[in-house]
Structure formats: C-alpha cells, structure tokens
Amino acid sequence: MTGRDRVLIGFAEAFAAIESAWSLADAGYEVFAFTRRGTKPPLAASRRVRIVPVTAPEQDAAACVAEVAAAAERLGAAVVLPLDDLAVWVCDRTGARIAGATGPAADFALDKRRQIAAATAAGFAVPDRGDAGPWIVKAALAAVEQDNRLIRPGGRVARTAADVESATAELAGPVLVQRLLTGVGEGVFGFATADGVRGWSGHRRVRMADPRGSASSACRSVPADAELRAQTEKLLAEVDWRGMFMLELLRDADGTAWFMEVNGRPWGSMALALRRGFDYPVWAVRQALDPDFVPEPPAAEPPHVLCRHLGRELVHLAAVLRGPIADHPGPWPSRAATIAALRPRRSDRWYNLRAGERRVFWQDTRSTLAAQAARLRRRAS
C-alpha cells in the first residue's frame, strides 16, 4: 500500500468508528485508528484496522495533538478523519490533511451558538428560552479546553430558575438555555460540494437506549422533505460548508421540526446511511485528496431500512423492565409492547455486524452493557 492509500481515523471508541472504518477498508484504504491509551475499543477486534494508542485529550490535550500528528506522519497517512467532536478539536491542530472541518468550519462544528444563528437565518424553528420551565441547560461548546485538558460538557434538565443557575455553574464554558421539548429525533444527512448538496438521506429514531432520553437503539431511514432540504442548503451556504454533515432535529407532536445541532463529522446512525449506499466517510477522504471531487450517490433511491444496535436494545429492555423513575413525565413503555417490538425480524439490519467480523459485534455488545452497568453503579453510589 502507498501513503495515498492510508487513512488515520479516530477516536476508535467513537460510536461511528466501526462502520466508518469498514467503509474505508471496503473502498481499498488501509485503515489505522487512534484510541486513548489504556483502552481497548471494540474496533480493536477488527481484522481490517490497526489501532494506534495516543494520550487521552482529557489528560493532556497538547500531547494528544502531538501524538496524532506524529502518528499520521509516521504511518504516511494521506488523510486524517475525525470521528467525534473531541477528535475534530484535536485534528484541527495537527497540521495534517483533514477529511473534515478545519479552521472556521471546525469552530462552527463545535460551537452551538454559531449553529443556532445560522439555523435561525435559514428559517429553521429553534427553541428559545421561553418564560417558564422546564429547560435544558447545555454546553454551547462541544469541546472545552481547561488547563490543557479537553472536556466534553453535557447538559442538565432544569425545572426552576435556581436549577438553571446551578447547572450553568456546573457546566464547563458558556451554556445555552432552551425550553425542554419532547418529540421524535430525526436527522438530515448529506454531502456538501461547491455545486450544492449531494447524497441526501435521513433517519428517524424508533427507540432510545434510555426511554427518558438518550442515544438511539434503533433507527429507520427516511427521506428528507423538500422544506428541510431547502433550509439546510441555505444554512450550509451561509457558512460555506464542505463535506459530510448531519443536522439533528426534534419533531414535536404538532409536526414542527426543531433544530438541535449540526454534526460536522460521522454520526451515530452512520450504519443506516452506509447500508443504503451513502459512503460519506469515503467521500470525505476523497474530497480531502481532491477538492473538486463530487460524489456519485446511488442512481435510484435505495430501499429504506431499520438498523438496530444490540447492546443498546438490551439496555432499553432492561430500563423498561425496571420501570420509570418517580418524576418521569408522560407514559412509560409497556413491557409486553416492548418485548414484542424487540423481537428480531429478517428485514432488520444491525450496527457493527458483518461476515468475518463477528468478534467486533460481540465485543461492541459486551462493552455497551458493561458501560451501562458502570453508570448504574455510579448512580447508586
């Protein structure tokens, strides 16, 4: 293999890492994945990917940047593909050729305030603070550096003004305070070029690992409607975006699609897009190597599919069987309906499952359940 054929991706523990790595390997690239030293992500079980340990950015951000840059040079990697928000921050500082957001685009990808401003100008419905709670208080920045340590702040639900103040003080960096909305999560995906967006696709959440709100355990592909496409084109043109993107939306009971954020790197339901022929990671690498590259999406609209994550589906089932917490708003999924919905069907597709790589699938399932057990122990302590 030549240097042009090598791609360094990371972090290997990102949710989109396995599917993104396989898509690149299928396209003929030799794939290396950087991971936090001392961890063993499920991707390490793959026969098609080699793992490169680096210092965790949460421990020493400067060392992480230097080690990723050194790895790219040592391996002769033509391109580095960041797979999550912390990787976007790190990769932007390496000086390597990046298949993704750099400079002002990286700032936009990591700053929800800029995203909200662009979404508002493009005509999206954006949650405001409103006059009464509950609210969601979330970090405005997806990555915050403090004392040479990188932090990925989260969010808090606040029911009183005092809760808002407390959450604001606890979260690192600037925050956003918005009305807490309920609805179904949706995503709009595509690949932006100088001539417009190619390869439109999208998803709708079917289930979440935690019924109270969390990452998806099952998603179904859906078409992006004309209005969302037009608004998305306007938003991306405003910031001169190039490459893959995912707009996260929340559709409420009245049918309004509320803008949540932009993901400027591979996203959680990448498996769904790849199974329909939308090779966004490969396209990103090819665009980095050739700025004039324009992807060729499937000529006809591929059939829509349902994609499930076994570990998260089991976490969902356990949550339903435990029952709701005392202050859970709204109805709780019934046990009988949940068990019926979780039965495997021949038409289902599964995250991170393919012939010859079943060790990755089972390792991913085990690590998901182990992480959930650790979270429950922390809550109980």
Side-chain angles (χ1 to χ4, degrees):
M1 304 290 283
T2 67
R4 181 177 174 83
D5 295 316
R6 291 185 172 184
V7 178
L8 178 63
I9 67 175
F11 286 94
E13 48 270 42
F15 192 70
I18 297 170
E19 296 285 350
S20 297
W22 286 343
S23 73
L24 291 165
D26 289 344
Y29 294 100
E30 188 176 6
V31 182
F32 298 80
F34 59 87
T35 188
R36 292 165 175 82
R37 185 172 287 108
T39 66
K40 189 175 181 180
L43 186 59
S46 176
R47 300 173 180 176
R48 311 177 74 190
V49 180
R50 281 181 272 182
I51 300 299
V52 181
V54 298
T55 298
E58 297 89 347
Q59 297 175 358
D60 188 329
C64 182
V65 171
E67 290 172 25
V68 171
E73 183 175 1
R74 181 178 71 254
L75 296 169
V79 176
V80 181
L81 172 66
L83 299 176
D84 57 25
D85 290 331
L86 296 194
V88 170
W89 189 98
V90 169
C91 291
D92 185 38
R93 289 158 173 77
T94 62
R97 188 196 300 268
I98 305 301
T102 60
D107 293 340
F108 174 81
L110 298 175
D111 192 334
K112 294 180 176 63
R113 297 167 301 183
R114 298 186 184 190
Q115 296 176 10
I116 285 174
T120 301
F124 281 98
V126 178
D128 58 15
R129 178 163 182 161
D131 298 324
W135 300 274
I136 180 70
V137 183
K138 57 187 179 183
L141 299 176
V144 176
E145 182 187 10
Q146 288 187 345
D147 300 324
N148 193 34
R149 295 184 176 186
L150 212 54
I151 302 169
R152 180 179 170 83
R156 307 281 190 279
V157 175
R159 303 191 181 281
T160 67
D163 290 342
V164 172
E165 292 184 9
S166 176
T168 300
E170 291 175 4
L171 291 172
V175 302
L176 297 171
V177 182
Q178 298 174 318
R179 288 182 293 132
L180 182 64
L181 301 175
T182 58
V184 177
E186 293 186 5
V188 175
F189 324 143
F191 194 90
T193 73
D195 298 323
V197 174
R198 300 294 183 95
W200 290 99
S201 61
H203 80 214
R204 179 175 294 125
R205 283 182 174 178
V206 175
R207 280 180 297 278
M208 295 180 288
D210 186 339
R212 293 170 295 181
S214 71
S216 302
S217 65
C219 282
R220 184 182 302 279
S221 60
V222 296
D225 65 47
E227 182 179 7
L228 288 178
R229 289 190 185 195
Q231 292 170 329
T232 301
E233 291 258 25
K234 186 174 180 181
L235 185 158
L236 298 174
E238 176 70 21
V239 299
D240 197 28
W241 186 266
R242 294 291 183 271
M244 73 173 87
F245 66 86
M246 183 270 209
L247 265 69
E248 186 175 335
L249 308 164
L250 187 72
R251 193 173 294 274
D252 65 19
D254 296 327
T256 300
W258 294 90
F259 174 87
M260 295 289 110
E261 64 181 6
V262 177
N263 288 315
R265 37 70 181 174
W267 46 91
S269 63
M270 182 60 70
L272 198 65
L274 294 175
R275 277 152 182 72
R276 302 183 64 237
F278 297 95
D279 291 323
Y280 296 118
V282 174
W283 297 347
V285 168
R286 290 179 177 168
Q287 185 187 61
L289 294 170
D290 177 8
D292 295 327
F293 168 77
V294 176
E296 291 294 337
E301 180 73 6
H304 289 288
V305 296
L306 174 72
C307 205
R308 304 171 62 181
H309 185 274
L310 179 58
R312 289 182 175 181
E313 291 278 66
L314 293 174
V315 170
H316 175 86
L317 176 61
V320 171
L321 295 178
R322 283 197 308 271
I325 59 175
D327 62 346
H328 175 73
W332 189 253
S334 76
R335 295 182 179 185
T338 297
I339 292 171
L342 292 180
R343 287 195 182 100
R345 294 167 176 80
R346 187 179 297 274
S347 60
D348 292 346
R349 301 291 183 269
W350 295 92
Y351 285 82
N352 307 330
L353 176 63
R354 65 161 54 197
E357 294 276 18
R358 294 185 184 276
R359 288 180 57 217
V360 177
F361 177 77
W362 293 115
Q363 182 60 37
D364 178 52
T365 302
R366 284 193 293 270
S367 65
T368 300
L369 297 179
Q372 177 65 11
R375 282 191 289 268
L376 292 176
R377 286 194 296 270
R378 287 195 296 270
R379 290 176 187 173
S381 63

